[in-house]
Amino acid sequence: MFREGPPSHTLLRLPLLQLLLLLLVQAVGRGLGRANPAGGPLEDVVIERYHIPRACPREVQRGDYVRYHYNGTFEDGKKFDSSYDRTTLVAIVVGVGRLITGMDRGLMGMCVSERRRLIVPPHLGYGSIGVAGLIPPDATLYFDVVLLDVWNKADTVQVSTLLRPPHCPRMVQDSDFVRYHYNGTLLDGTAFDTSYSSGGTYDTYVGSGWLIKGMDQGLLGMCPGERRKIIIPPFLAYGEKGYGTVIPAHASLVFHVLLIDVHNPKDTVQLETLELPPGCVRRAVAGDFMRYHYNGSLMDGTLFDSSYSRNHTYNTYVGQGYIIPGMDQGLQGACVGERRRITIPPHLAYGENGTGDKIPGSAVLVFDVHVIDFHNPADPVEVTTLSRPPEPCNETAKPGDFVRYHYNCSLLDGTRLFSSHDYEVPQEATLGANKVIEGLDEGLQGMCVGERRQLVVPPHLAHGESGARGVPGSAVLLFEVELVSREEGLPAGYLFVWHEDPPANLFEDLDLNKDGEVPPEELVTDALWSQNIQKTLRV
């Protein structure tokens, strides 16, 4: 099949009309041997295309490099040669005289995976001389050919976008680090490798010589979540040597690639504000304690964790090293109620090793965060006067006063907790007597009757880290209070009980002169008349 010396015929490309006529006489391929439809000797190659692939992105042209398998037989079916027997494909340039003329012509216009039966007359084969011991003189040759590959030295990497996500935060550039999945096949569809079977992505730098040149080029400009088909000619892949036993020499490679994520070692944390509530007067700084909800996902959208699934906020100090560095940075500057997207490169997250079975090594992390509240351990009660009574106010509430007030209590995100209006009567308390949380006690002091205030109470002046019934741990509380009345000391009808357990005979102990009566002066002397009163009993 291969010429050892100079060709005896010069290859001429078939005119299109002549090629079409030859295709119309495909049926004569079998059994006609040395005769053409008119009964005389064959003048040209007879081509029978007995398998044509549905898709044919390119056809063999003069000067192309091809790889194919074949069986060669005589008219009686006797085999004289086969690439299958040698387990080696034919790899050669077409149309430049390196093949017998009949094979050169028979391969023209062929598609990858196409199968053809070629009938080559003697004058387009080995002529009247033949090949000693192998092909007799004036032999008509029959070839069954399957084309497996075709490329040209002028080829470049061919990129087809199969799926592009609607949102593309960044595209691959030289020196980026990428994580991607791929299926690798030869041009005829024969699979040679896949990342999916390894249980992990293929992770590498782009444009740094770690990949074959064609893949370096084919990945440029990809977005996370994008799918591409990348066809790489051999000289941009593994060239004349191939790779091991799976990639033959001179093989074009086809990769179906899904990009999972991309980052650069120089990347910093990326912030995107999704929702900013109006009236943001304070932003989180290092040292603040924050409660927030989040959804954590990989760059391709794969969810790996969510505080919502636990029905509990994530509570932590900001900027103190309690969380990954990227989150520490990304939470600073946030407002209460703000929603923001924080994209964290792996060197500011879990690095090359990842963590657990949900965050792989070198993974970019994306957090959608909703800030519920934050405070600083040094925060006092924040008091804002909403309204004051029109008449002058000469006396305000102070420790020891008995007050009645209405209130609404909520979290900073607006979640309603409690309200005195639910009971249709004001709340009652003695200020400075540990009857209410410390922050509310402070906020009520200095109020005029009829005054309305807004109080922001940090958790260390409220219910602390443990919270209370209906109140989450470490929650900042928001009160709207209105002072209804104020009385100095306790009003008539109240008795006072001292710190220790009362004696067995309380009246006798209170009756100092044993006259059977307990006047106010005896009560004042023995009872606890101070800001340290522990209990009051309504009588």
Side-chain angles (χ1 to χ4, degrees):
M1 192 187 87
F2 300 96
R3 288 190 177 276
E4 296 181 358
S8 59
H9 297 275
T10 301
L11 174 66
L12 297 175
R13 291 191 63 187
L14 294 174
L16 179 59
L17 180 58
Q18 185 178 353
L19 180 60
L20 291 174
L21 290 173
L22 285 172
L23 296 179
L24 290 176
V25 296
Q26 292 174 5
V28 305
R30 295 187 183 274
L32 291 180
R34 294 163 294 177
N36 64 22
L42 290 175
E43 296 181 359
D44 210 334
V45 178
V46 175
I47 300 173
E48 178 187 351
R49 305 178 71 187
Y50 61 90
H51 174 75
I52 303 174
R54 292 183 178 180
C56 183
R58 71 183 291 176
E59 298 177 349
V60 175
Q61 297 181 9
R62 185 177 185 177
D64 282 347
Y65 204 108
V66 295
R67 294 190 309 116
Y68 62 91
H69 264 309
Y70 73 92
N71 282 317
T73 62
F74 298 119
E75 181 180 359
D76 61 2
K78 181 181 178 181
K79 182 166 63 175
F80 64 83
D81 193 16
S82 173
S83 63
Y84 295 99
D85 294 344
R86 295 189 299 273
T87 66
T88 303
L89 289 159
V90 178
I92 200 165
V93 180
V94 177
V96 294
R98 296 183 182 178
L99 293 168
I100 59 173
T101 306
M103 182 62 78
D104 257 348
R105 295 185 182 183
L107 292 173
M108 290 296 170
M110 204 167 179
C111 304
V112 172
S113 296
E114 181 179 344
R115 294 178 181 270
R116 288 184 177 183
R117 182 173 175 82
L118 309 179
I119 304 175
V120 180
H123 67 280
L124 297 179
Y126 293 95
S128 59
I129 300 176
V131 177
L134 183 63
I135 298 175
D138 297 316
T140 299
L141 307 179
Y142 294 76
F143 292 95
D144 283 295
V145 180
V146 55
L147 184 67
L148 301 179
D149 200 346
V150 55
W151 57 274
N152 193 286
K153 289 184 178 180
D155 286 349
T156 57
V157 175
Q158 300 175 48
V159 175
S160 302
T161 299
L162 307 178
L163 174 67
R164 190 177 180 90
H167 177 67
C168 182
R170 68 174 294 170
M171 294 184 290
V172 175
Q173 299 177 358
D174 276 337
S175 79
D176 281 348
F177 190 90
V178 295
R179 296 174 52 246
Y180 62 92
H181 274 302
Y182 69 90
N183 287 318
T185 66
L186 304 180
L187 207 58
D188 67 338
T190 302
F192 62 81
D193 195 16
T194 176
S195 64
Y196 294 96
S197 64
S198 66
T201 54
Y202 191 82
D203 306 343
T204 186
Y205 285 94
V206 175
S208 300
W210 291 28
L211 292 167
I212 57 175
K213 293 181 180 180
M215 184 61 84
D216 261 343
Q217 297 176 23
L219 292 172
L220 293 176
M222 280 193 83
C223 299
E226 183 176 342
R227 294 179 182 271
R228 279 186 178 181
K229 179 181 179 181
I230 303 172
I231 302 177
I232 304 174
F235 56 88
L236 295 176
Y238 293 100
E240 298 179 358
K241 296 181 179 180
Y243 187 82
T245 60
V246 293
I247 299 178
H250 301 292
S252 300
L253 305 183
V254 181
F255 290 92
H256 283 80
V257 176
L258 168 61
L259 184 65
I260 302 300
D261 70 24
V262 53
H263 77 277
N264 194 283
K266 297 179 181 179
D267 283 350
T268 57
V269 175
Q270 300 297 311
L271 301 178
E272 179 184 356
T273 299
L274 306 178
E275 180 182 337
L276 184 64
C280 175
V281 296
R282 175 178 178 178
R283 295 181 178 270
V285 298
D288 283 347
F289 190 90
M290 181 178 288
R291 298 191 313 120
Y292 61 93
H293 273 302
Y294 69 90
N295 286 319
S297 63
L298 304 180
M299 214 172 188
D300 66 343
T302 301
L303 185 71
F304 63 80
D305 193 19
S306 174
S307 64
Y308 296 98
S309 65
R310 296 183 290 274
N311 197 31
H312 193 283
T313 55
Y314 191 85
N315 306 336
T316 186
Y317 284 94
V318 176
Q320 302 293 306
Y322 289 98
I323 48 182
I324 56 176
M327 185 63 86
D328 249 350
Q329 296 177 25
L331 292 174
Q332 295 184 45
C335 297
V336 172
E338 181 178 345
R339 296 178 185 269
R340 57 169 54 179
R341 177 167 292 158
I342 305 172
T343 303
I344 304 175
H347 52 276
L348 295 175
Y350 294 100
E352 296 181 0
N353 297 324
T355 183
D357 59 353
K358 293 187 177 180
I359 300 180
S362 302
V364 178
L365 306 184
V366 181
F367 290 91
D368 284 334
V369 172
H370 180 205
V371 179
I372 302 303
D373 66 29
F374 61 84
H375 72 282
N376 193 282
D379 282 350
V381 177
E382 182 182 321
V383 178
T384 303
T385 299
L386 303 178
S387 66
R388 296 177 67 91
E391 61 273 7
C393 175
N394 297 322
E395 295 186 355
T396 59
K398 60 184 181 300
D401 284 354
F402 180 82
V403 296
R404 292 183 177 88
Y405 59 96
H406 274 300
Y407 73 93
N408 292 315
C409 177
S410 64
L411 302 179
L412 287 192
D413 67 348
T415 302
R416 185 177 182 274
L417 297 179
F418 314 108
S419 176
S420 62
H421 298 283
D422 293 341
Y423 306 101
E424 299 181 353
V425 293
Q427 180 78 8
E428 299 177 347
T430 300
L431 298 182
N434 295 324
K435 300 301 178 183
V436 295
I437 59 174
E438 185 177 350
L440 179 58
D441 199 309
E442 290 183 18
L444 289 169
Q445 294 181 34
M447 288 188 74
C448 298
V449 173
E451 182 179 345
R452 293 176 59 247
R453 284 183 176 181
Q454 175 180 282
L455 311 176
V456 179
V457 182
H460 53 275
L461 298 176
H463 295 287
E465 295 181 3
S466 301
R469 185 175 181 180
V471 180
S474 301
V476 179
L477 301 183
L478 177 65
F479 288 91
E480 288 188 3
V481 296
E482 179 182 3
L483 187 62
V484 176
S485 66
R486 179 194 69 85
E487 299 180 42
E488 293 188 3
L490 283 179
Y494 278 76
L495 292 180
F496 299 88
V497 180
W498 50 87
H499 287 283
E500 290 79 14
D501 292 335
N505 194 330
L506 178 61
F507 184 82
E508 289 183 2
D509 276 27
L510 289 175
D511 185 7
L512 298 180
N513 58 11
K514 308 303 180 183
D515 62 356
E517 295 181 356
V518 182
E521 56 271 17
E522 290 181 341
L523 181 62
V524 171
T525 300
D526 287 350
L528 196 61
W529 189 274
S530 71
Q531 297 181 24
N532 297 320
I533 297 172
Q534 294 285 318
K535 299 180 180 179
T536 58
L537 300 176
R538 187 73 181 267
V539 296

